[in-house]
Amino acid sequence: MLGTYILIGLGVLILGAVVLIYNRLVAKRQMVKNGWADIDVQLKRRTDLIPRLVDTVKGYAAHENTLFEDVVAKRGEALAAGDDPQARGAAESALSRPVARLVAVAEAYPDLKANQNFLDLQKELSDTESKIEMARRFFNGAVRELNTAVESFPANLMAGLFGFRTSAFFEIETADRALPSVDFKEE
């Protein structure tokens, strides 16, 4: 009789541990999804700003057609990259380069630099880049926690059983996101 109680107690203890580990994995996976949604919102905001920025600069720098075409093409690739953090990170890094060049070209036009619409767009783009960085840090922290939980014992035994997988980090190279400071003054 005592042996039966011990087995029942042991079974309840094991079941409780399974439930706790499962719920912990679910919570961490939800944090990753939440983090990705935050990044996606900011990336879409940046993507929506780009055509307005291009249109504003176009009027002043009509001879920069290849740059405008490059921005539009890279924006399309970024939109098409979907929800895969690695593919999206690469596409967003590729988009950052021509956008930085676009802002640099704008620096060569004093009338454009003084244009309030351009200044507002430039400020919005800078704010969005900061928000992307914050969202990326949150997402990567959530991914780190999920990956650690999925790969740690005893959760790793259950993670595979219940379909929990590690996630990829979202990375945009910092150098790619930095908007260049360009001075076209002649010496």
Side-chain angles (χ1 to χ4, degrees):
M1 186 73 151
L2 182 61
T4 303
Y5 289 128
I6 291 174
L7 286 177
I8 290 173
L10 191 56
V12 168
L13 186 65
I14 290 172
L15 181 62
V18 167
V19 168
L20 287 174
I21 291 170
Y22 178 82
N23 287 341
R24 192 173 124 229
L25 290 169
V26 167
K28 292 188 182 307
R29 182 173 57 193
Q30 289 304 99
M31 291 299 287
V32 169
K33 288 179 180 180
N34 181 25
W36 181 252
D38 290 347
I39 287 174
D40 195 42
V41 165
Q42 295 307 322
L43 292 175
K44 285 179 182 171
R45 181 172 183 240
R46 179 172 75 169
T47 302
D48 291 345
L49 283 172
I50 290 170
R52 293 175 32 210
L53 190 61
V54 167
D55 288 342
T56 302
V57 175
K58 241 183 203 178
Y60 289 88
H63 62 280
E64 298 286 349
N65 285 335
T66 57
L67 174 59
F68 300 138
E69 291 168 4
D70 192 25
V71 169
V72 170
K74 298 293 189 230
R75 178 179 178 263
E77 290 171 14
L79 288 172
D83 288 338
D84 175 28
Q86 289 176 323
R88 189 76 176 265
E92 292 294 336
S93 288
L95 174 61
S96 294
R97 290 182 202 105
V99 169
R101 284 196 343 255
L102 178 69
V103 172
V105 164
E107 294 290 321
Y109 297 89
D111 291 343
L112 177 58
K113 283 182 9 180
N115 178 298
Q116 190 60 48
N117 187 34
F118 175 74
L119 294 173
D120 291 345
L121 289 170
Q122 194 174 28
K123 183 179 183 307
E124 278 186 61
L125 186 60
S126 178
D127 290 345
T128 300
E129 292 296 331
S130 295
K131 290 176 182 176
I132 290 169
E133 177 64 22
M134 288 187 299
R136 185 181 68 84
R137 284 184 180 155
F138 176 83
F139 174 78
N140 285 343
V143 166
R144 181 189 63 244
E145 288 183 21
L146 174 67
N147 291 351
T148 300
V150 166
E151 294 175 348
S152 297
F153 182 80
N156 63 345
L157 301 174
M158 292 178 40
L161 182 66
F162 290 113
F164 290 93
R165 304 279 180 259
T166 58
S167 290
F169 290 98
F170 180 72
E171 298 182 40
I172 297 178
E173 291 187 30
T174 305
D176 291 339
R177 292 184 306 100
L179 296 179
S181 175
V182 177
D183 186 6
F184 286 96
K185 294 178 190 169
E186 292 184 31
E187 295 181 16

